[in-house]
Each structure stands twice: as C-alpha cells, then as structure tokens.
Amino acid sequence: MFAEERQQLIVELVAASGRASVTDLAERFSITTETVRRDLAALEIAGTVRRVHGGAVSPERFSTTEESILERTVQRQSEKTRIAEAALALIPQGRSGSVLIDAGSTTEALAEMLAARTAGTGAAGTGAAGAGVPGEVELVVITHALPIAAKLSGESGISLHLLGGKVRGLTQAAVGQSTVEAARRIRPDIAFIGTNGISAAFGLSTPDPEEAAVKAAFVHSARRIVVLADASKLDTETLVQFASLKDLDTVITDTNPSPALAAALADAGVEVVVV
C-alpha cells in the first residue's frame, strides 16, 4: 500500500470514530509506530487530522468542543443501546433502592429503557411521579437532566427526584452551585455517569466547568460509580477533569480500550464491560 493510500484511510478512520491511536493504526496497517507518527505529522500539516497524545483526532475536535444533546442522541445509536442495556441489568427489578442518572445521550437511552421496563411490570400508572400505591416497591431515581426526567415522570414504581439549578441549554441539564450542593446531600446506591472523555492520564473530563462540577459531586456522592462511554470517548481528553480512574467502579463501553487505557483501568481496579 502506498503512503498516500494509507494516509487517506487514516483520515477516514479518524472521521468515522473521532480519533485513532498510534498503536491501533500500526497494527491495522502492519507498520511501525514511527511510520504512523510520520503519517500523522504529514496529515496534520495538510490539516486533515490533529495530533494528540497517543494518536490523532478530527481537526474540528478541541478540548472545548461539545455537541448538543439533540445531536448526540442520533449518533452511534446501536452502540449506545447496547451500553444502556448492560447498564439496565445493574438495576435490580422488584427491589427498592436509589439510582442517579447523569445527563447524556447514553444515560438518556438508559432512562428510556428503565421506563419501558417499569411499564412492562403491569403496574397501573399513577399520573404523578412518586405517587405510587400503598405497599408498592419504588425505585428512587435522581437526575438533573430534563430529558431524563421527562422519560421517567409518571411511571409507577419510580419515585423521581429532579435536582434544580440553572438549566444549560446545550445539555438540557441543571448546573450551578445549587445543583452541586443538592448532589452533595444525597448518597445514591449507584450513579450512572456520562463523560465526554476518558483517558489513562487525565481520567474523566468534560468541556464545561459547571457540568464538570456537577459530575464531580455525583461521583463523590454515590456508593457505586458506573460510567457509560462509547468508543468515541475512549482516549479522549476535554477541558475539565471531574474524576480520576480510581474514583470509578465500572466502565461500560462498546469496544476494547487501547492497551494504555486498559492497563490504567486495571491498575485502578476498574471493571470494564465491553458490549
């Protein structure tokens, strides 16, 4: 394969997945990592990729780049569905308890599945979140995301708690000091956390400082932390760190992490579930 052909394929791979690692590219094309780095240097000069530690990303992808929740909802839907299904299996049926669902497109898919599962139990609807019937076992669900609250409100068997604050239009989630303080006063059994990036060196990150503050409060409040992250989030670093790998219990993703990230997760004692 000529270098020009290989470099064009690298551009297509980066465009499709958002990033590519040096080691993965070396294995895919049966070339040395030094050759990959030369390819990436040439592509960066041409403006078709942007080099980052360990690989390359799309030239439009910067540490502050963030798509709206509506844009993310229609991307990588099959992968997010598999991740959400695996997350749903961690929520016991027919038992009381409490879960926190963070804002995000994959966590929104989880909320939709939880609502469908609850409706499928055959319990009569109540017409008001948390109203329930005498003796009914209710699952407490806490969120700060309006789309997630909308999917779960009115479901019998669910006692919905919506954390307030200033609503950020891009993610349709409450942020700010009042949201952070409310998050610090709760202790849910399990928190399902979304992230814009997860990397060996930087941990979990998101572009917006206010979102990061809320996510950090969630991570430090819950008894168990489960991160839902599709392949586009792996080996990615955005502007603000909100958790280290050691803060996590489980990561559910749709592809095997890179060797460096896999080793860091193992060292931190994080369970990795690939679906």
Side-chain angles (χ1 to χ4, degrees), residues 198-204 243-249 261 264-265 268-270:
I198 176 171
S199 76
F202 199 53
L204 273 64
S244 69
L245 298 184
K246 291 183 179 179
D247 293 321
L248 314 180
D249 295 293
L261 180 55
L265 289 165
V270 180

Side-chain angles (χ1 to χ4, degrees), residues 9-20 48-49 56-60:
L9 289 173
I10 291 173
V11 172
E12 292 173 2
L13 288 168
V14 171
S17 62
R19 68 169 294 121
T48 51
V49 304
V57 298
S58 170
E60 296 85 17

Side-chain angles (χ1 to χ4, degrees), residues 246-264:
K246 291 183 179 179
D247 293 321
L248 314 180
D249 295 293
T250 304
V251 171
I252 305 177
T253 185
D254 60 291
T255 191
N256 289 313
S258 66
L261 180 55

